[in-house]
Every structure is written in structure tokens, then in C-alpha cells.
Amino acid sequence: MMVNQKPGRQKNVRGPSVRALILGELRRREGSPVSGTFLANTIGVSRVAVWKNIQALTGAGYPVRTPEKGYALETGENDFLYPWEFGGRENLFRYFSGTGSTMDRAREFAEQGLPGGTVVCAEKQSAGRGRNGRTWASRQGGLFFSLLERPNLALADYALPAMLLQIALAKALGRICGKKALLRWPNDVYIDQRKIAGVLTELAGEGDKITWLAGGAGVNVNNPVPSGRITSCAEILGRKVSRRETLTAILDELEDLKKEYAPAGAYENRGLAKEWNSLAEGLGGRVAVIDPRHEDYRFTDEKPEGEERILARGTYAGTDGAGRCLVKTGTEKGTLPFSPGAASIIFL
Ligand code: BTN
């Protein structure tokens, strides 16, 4: 189900909705009651409008008490991802309490003509997907969103927006978790050598230009994760982490990165690749490049060649300005570039 509110208070006026303003007032009072009349006067709406919005907030799960003197928001957990939780970005948010995949919703919104910057998020996904046809387990407490972009890019450069998103994820998650987050080519974020987030890109084009692109991110925040190769913010910090603040931090980082590397939608490839490489995991290490269909299959150098589709072995030299992984083969083939769709790398 999609839960959205009409943006703005008046037609064509962009600004926080009445719901966002009421929530802000309630939060400012940290559990103390505020009267309906005060809220109505402060925000500039009728008391009925205040009442209706309080009803809607309660219906959406906010613990609003109605003591005699008005309304009070109980302190404690209310980590919601509703559009009105995202300040100036409210009008760009599309929220689903549950959906198949936010990638499908993003595609539909793109086809309906929604602008770049639209954020589609869901509490739960019943058909979350990852790279190479894998399933993305979307359990309660995780953060699942797709970001619709309309970049001024050739199809061949489709990897660049995902690189930006990945850098934003690494910076935001590193700060939140108090640890260095690294990027594993092509689209994963790792902390302590365990995956904390992944990015999936889907797009449509016309001629050689991208018409829209959706960057989908799955972030392990409070969702349970299997021990071993995967981690979450909650596991690292030993406490629950606000998904709302996590998503805001990611979008803030992305906004800053866009100003630097994609002003007016035109990408500055070299600088972007340099920034990406500054966060790359395993630079200079030995890697095998394999067909991504065999990505899950771990192997060592001892295994016989040909058992999997090994495309190359060599030294990992980071990514280039088109998002391709560079591998120095040490042979007459020199340094080979591999596109994200056609290869995965395994550290040996
Ligand atoms: C990967 O690591 O393979 C990429 C995972 C991407 C998962 C996210 S969750 C939000 C969006 N919706 C999906 O169905 N997939 C992406």
C-alpha cells in the first residue's frame, strides 16, 4: 500500500505539509502536550485540519496521546520513513508500507514522468532483488529504497550514478557506524570485510542517451543478518539505529557529491573515479575476474582453471571513469577493463 499525502498546503506551493509541521511542533515539545488551538495558529490552518492530521499520524503508527490540554507525542521509538519525515525532500518521496520491489515502483514512476530525485522507499519488499538475478532479503528493520535519476548521460556511462550512490552510502554509513566503510567493485559497501549495503542499477534509454535510471540501495540497519559475511549498523553499534536518520544522511551526502561531480546532471568522470578509488577495498591486491553468474562460488588459486569462467587474474587497480574495474594482468595483455554487467571480482 502506498501512503502519501498531497504535498504543500496550497496548490503549487512547495513546502512542508501540515503533517510535517505538526510533527515538528510535537517533537520539539518532547512529550509535553500542546493545544490544538496553538498548533492551528502557529501553522496557519484550522483546528479541524490539525485534528485530521493528528488522526492520520495516529493511524500511521505515531504514539500521539490526547490529554485534556491537547496533543503529545510520546518519546521513544518512532522510526518511520513517511514522506513528511524528510523535510525539504517531502514532495520527492513515495512511500510504501509493503511492495514487491521499489525498483518496479521506480520504473513505473519514471514512466509516469516523475522527476529525477524521486525517492521510493518501502518498509518491506516481497520481491526485493539484487545483482545478477539474486534475491535481496528485505526483512523488517532494513532500509530499502530506489532513487530515480534523469542524468544527462550516455548509456555507456550508466555506472556513474551508482558510483555516486555507493560513495554516499560508504560515507554516511562509515560516519554512523564510526568505522571505515569501503567499496567493493562494482556495487557493494563493506565494513570490517562484511557487506552492509548493496546497490542495483536499472535504466532505460533512447538512442545512446539514458532517459531514466533507478539506483536501488538495500542497507542493513536493524534487520537481522546471518553471521559471517554480512553485517548491519545495529550489529556494529550494539543498539538500534534510526533508519530515517540513516536515509537522510545518505541523501545529504549524495546531494554534496552531486554538486561536486555531477553539477547540472553532467558527470565529472575522472574526479568521481578518484574519489571512488580512495574508498576502494583491496587496491593492489590479487584478484580473479569471473563471470558474475559464478560470483557466489568461492574458489582459490589452487582450483583448476576452467572450472569457473575465469576471465582474468591479476592486480586490482580500481575503477576507471566509466565505472569499469581495472585489472593489471602482468602479461602482454596489459591492464584490462571489465564492465560491471559482465564481471565480478574475487580477492584471492
Ligand atoms: C546487490 O547487492 O546485489 C544489490 C542489492 C540492492 C537491493 C535494493 S533494496 C531496494 C531496491 N529494491 C530492490 O528490489 N532492490 C534494491
Side-chain angles (χ1 to χ4, degrees):
M1 189 184 58
M2 182 162 139
V3 185
N4 271 352
Q5 198 201 6
K6 284 206 182 106
R9 272 178 289 177
Q10 294 163 274
K11 232 179 164 186
N12 297 328
V13 174
R14 298 245 147 188
S17 62
V18 173
R19 205 160 302 168
L21 292 169
I22 291 177
L23 195 56
E25 290 294 333
L26 294 179
R27 282 214 172 108
R28 241 190 304 285
R29 277 160 189 80
E30 294 178 343
S32 310
V34 57
S35 76
T37 309
F38 178 87
L39 286 173
N41 292 341
T42 310
I43 295 166
V45 293
S46 68
R47 283 183 58 191
V48 175
V50 169
W51 182 80
K52 278 190 181 160
N53 277 283
I54 294 278
Q55 294 298 305
L57 286 171
T58 311
Y62 291 84
V64 184
R65 284 184 298 118
T66 49
E68 254 174 48
K69 286 201 175 117
Y71 307 107
L73 181 68
E74 277 174 22
T75 49
E77 225 173 85
N78 50 69
D79 183 22
F80 297 117
L81 300 174
Y82 298 121
W84 53 83
E85 292 281 7
F86 293 92
R89 299 189 175 103
E90 183 173 0
N91 293 309
L92 289 167
F93 261 75
R94 297 293 178 273
Y95 170 88
F96 293 85
S97 51
T99 190
S101 163
T102 57
M103 299 307 280
D104 293 331
R105 303 295 81 76
R107 187 194 64 238
E108 288 158 9
F109 287 132
E111 287 165 0
Q112 288 162 23
L114 263 68
T118 298
V119 184
V120 187
C121 63
E123 203 66 45
K124 284 179 287 190
Q125 297 184 118
S126 54
R129 54 181 179 262
R131 262 183 95 224
N132 304 320
R134 284 193 301 263
T135 299
W136 184 262
S138 308
R139 298 170 75 179
Q140 191 77 34
L143 182 57
F144 319 110
F145 67 95
S146 298
L147 194 54
L148 176 62
E149 304 274 10
R150 296 195 182 274
N152 181 15
L153 273 180
L155 279 170
D157 287 329
Y158 75 93
L160 301 181
M163 284 166 72
L164 267 194
L165 179 54
Q166 235 185 322
I167 298 171
L169 283 162
K171 287 189 163 183
L173 294 175
R175 204 173 49 248
I176 288 165
C177 296
K179 294 209 162 193
K180 181 103 180 146
L182 294 174
L183 304 180
R184 182 173 289 188
W185 189 87
N187 56 2
D188 292 342
V189 183
Y190 274 65
I191 291 184
D192 290 339
Q193 296 187 315
R194 296 159 84 195
K195 180 163 171 171
I196 191 161
V199 174
L200 175 69
T201 302
E202 294 179 357
L203 67 150
E206 216 175 279
D208 71 341
K209 298 282 287 183
I210 293 174
T211 46
W212 63 263
L213 178 147
V219 186
N220 298 322
V221 182
N222 300 316
N223 49 308
V225 289
S227 60
R229 285 161 43 195
I230 302 177
T231 192
S232 70
C233 299
E235 188 181 71
I236 292 168
L237 291 172
R239 60 168 169 81
K240 277 198 170 181
V241 173
S242 160
R243 293 172 311 153
R244 174 166 52 95
E245 286 168 19
T246 304
L247 182 48
T248 301
I250 295 164
L251 296 176
D252 286 349
E253 285 291 352
L254 192 60
E255 205 170 290
D256 289 348
L257 287 162
K258 276 186 184 168
K259 279 184 202 141
E260 197 162 350
Y261 299 115
Y267 281 71
E268 203 271 274
N269 306 35
R270 275 169 178 245
L272 173 55
K274 201 169 163 209
E275 173 109 35
W276 195 98
N277 286 329
S278 73
L279 296 170
E281 185 194 37
L283 274 188
R286 286 275 302 162
V287 290
V289 182
I290 57 165
D291 181 312
R293 285 170 296 181
H294 299 291
E295 191 177 75
D296 283 337
Y297 191 89
R298 300 281 137 185
F299 63 93
T300 68
D301 245 321
E302 283 79 58
K303 289 218 168 159
E305 293 263 353
E307 185 182 327
E308 295 80 34
R309 304 255 313 267
I310 299 171
L311 306 174
R313 288 175 194 272
T315 307
Y316 175 47
T319 184
D320 69 6
R324 296 175 307 179
C325 146
L326 299 172
V327 176
K328 288 185 196 161
T329 62
T331 68
E332 72 283 355
K333 290 182 185 157
T335 299
L336 296 175
F338 293 92
S339 292
S344 289
I345 53 173
I346 289 186
F347 290 92
L348 299 172

